Amino acid sequence: MGKFMRIFALSMMFVCVFSVCNATAFRMGDQGSEVAEIQGQLANLGYDVAADGDFGPATVEAVKMFQSNQGLDADGLVGPSTYSALMGREMPQVSRSFNSISRRIIANSMNYIGVPYVFGGTSPSGFDCSGYVRYVFANAGIYLPRTADAQYEVGMPVSRGELIPGDLVFFSTYDYGASHVGIYLGDGSFINASSSRGVAVDSLYSGYWGSCYIGARRVI
């Protein structure tokens, strides 16, 4: 744990964390009341999204559908044009606290959707669950243990109701204890390398994953 925290502290020197940062659009990984307001308006218009304040995959898809219906560039970002069309007013300056390491991890994790599952795999030619998580986090400068059960021992425990994008979510599948791991994306979704689908986005509350979920850890 001490070695991990030292690596994390060095990584924090290069990013803006827990400080006010300016941006030109709301995007996946953002959180807060402004995100919830955007989600609420999308829901009012009939799009399938919950106003939970987490800008996750479901929110991205709802924004893309709205943009397409409005003849806007369907990029999933809520910039000035999309905000004005959706909210009926000029977009305010986007200033908020956010963790840029989480943002980087989430963006990078999506690059490998469709990569096949390979037992013991640790590269984009094929991943197993913990190899995938370790690879994505290593690209952000955070080095995790190799296996799911060892990854379950780092960071701090997080309840399901307090999950934020970038948290690790763990499951007991083929073996007792933490035998599978994924990365929480928000909106009740997580991304993982599963033996049946390879790298894919799944619902934390689906019948299968919900039944074998055992906990989460925050390492960033």
Side-chain angles (χ1 to χ4, degrees), residues 31-42 50-54:
Q31 295 179 302
S33 59
E34 292 172 309
V35 172
E37 187 177 8
I38 289 169
Q39 293 170 320
Q41 181 61 10
L42 286 166
D52 59 6
D54 281 336

Side-chain angles (χ1 to χ4, degrees), residues 119-174:
F119 182 77
T122 59
S123 75
S125 62
F127 289 114
D128 65 13
C129 67
S130 56
Y132 167 67
V133 168
R134 189 172 189 265
Y135 185 90
V136 169
F137 273 71
N139 282 344
I142 298 174
Y143 299 93
L144 298 174
R146 173 63 185 89
T147 62
D149 58 342
Q151 290 173 6
Y152 194 49
E153 299 301 318
V154 302
M156 65 178 185
V158 181
S159 70
R160 195 184 312 216
E162 296 176 333
L163 285 170
I164 62 173
D167 286 343
L168 299 181
V169 287
F170 293 88
F171 308 85
S172 180
T173 53
Y174 65 88

